[in-house]
Amino acid sequence: MSSDSSLQSSAVINEAVQTLRDGGLVAFPTETVYGLGADAKNAEAIKKIFTAKGRPSNHPLIVHLAAPDRFDQAQVDWVPILANWARDVSEEALKLINAFWPGPLTLVFKKDKSVLTDLTGGQDTVAIRAPSHPIAQELLRKFKGGVVAPSANRFGKVSPTSASDVRHEFEGMLDLMILDGGDCEVGIESTIIDLSSGDKAILLRPGAITPSEIFSKTGVKVYLPGDVKANELTEDLPKVSGSLKAHYAPTTPLRLYAPGRVLDALSEFPDIKSRVAVAVWDSDSCLGDDGHPSAHFEEVEVPSDSAAFASRLYRSLRDLDQQGWDLILFPEPPAGEEWDGVRDRLQRACFGSGPSSSSHVSN
Ligand code: TXA
Ligand code: MG
């Protein structure tokens, strides 16, 4: 990934650092999606993020930290770094960190008292991650502090995976400095694990790093929220904004179809006679025996490998959304944990999609 660094010169990154120090916003690439960054110690700058995104102030932000250099593969001592942000960092937490940071894993801890509640949405916990994208790392290292960064999209909309997506998202609304790091490799947001309850690691948002991978690399068992007794979960505040039923949504209606059941998905839209984009697995040569009137459909191939699918999911949704289809159909992702991240995003995108999506989302 080092070639991505060359997309932005040191001088541009220095300017971005100065913008953050001055309380401004900087959009920057991470390996998952582009983030909209601000100084995590500046309440006014944090407020600008919520305003720009149209995000309710009780939806907490992730603090992004620089990963110190590893010399000779030696393990980095994260304890003093985390001490500025988190309390009760357990042995289990350090196992996850040593295995997956920098990378697409966010961990939720009890917060240190110095962490602004403006960024935690009033909660006593804080979400932290060290992104691996070289531009994000250079920015964070030079800034020498924490940077809060939600995905750089308007609240509830599809997350951006390129610099031009970010530009498009805030065009005419916000004069924003955007660091260009090319297309994001992972393509969906980081996996979030809640470690704040002390004993159990709980999956709050599925992503590229799965519970099985965590278990096999660290021996730490990750529980799903459904595995944990209701009284152990605090439901009063939205822990993960992506956990709203509607999120990541295009303006064009989007639905999923079961294998070979395109016409069933269409039955909800009896008036649509044409302009339907149907995503099909690249492993299938055609839609099968649905007998649909092919003149009304256009097939768009999507990868049948889960990582490749994730990497292009938001790109496809944005592109299809701009092409003026009446309806977009995607195949239901197959069963299997490696598909959980994209299944989660697609289901929420379906629920929030359509011209009136913003009214769903704000609920
Ligand atoms: O991959 C990512 O995580 C990207 C890149 C930019 O780093 N960021 C991202 O941020 O997805 P955002 O704000 O779009 O989503 C962060 C999620 C939110 O849904 C939020 O509710 C959750 O993290 N979160 C933040 N702080 C939390 C906390 N203290 N407890 C539980 N969930 C938290
Ligand atoms: Mg987001």
Side-chain angles (χ1 to χ4, degrees), residues 30 32-35 53 55 59-62 64 106 108 123 125-127 129 149-151 188-190 192 204-205 238-242:
T30 82
T32 58
V33 300
Y34 275 68
K53 277 187 66 92
R55 173 160 161 154
H59 285 260
L61 304 175
I62 297 172
H64 295 64
T106 296
V108 176
Q123 307 195 40
T125 55
V126 62
R129 94 177 186 96
S151 50
I188 57 171
E189 300 81 352
S190 58
I192 303 182
L204 294 183
R205 182 173 71 183
K239 285 209 154 188
V240 179
S241 63

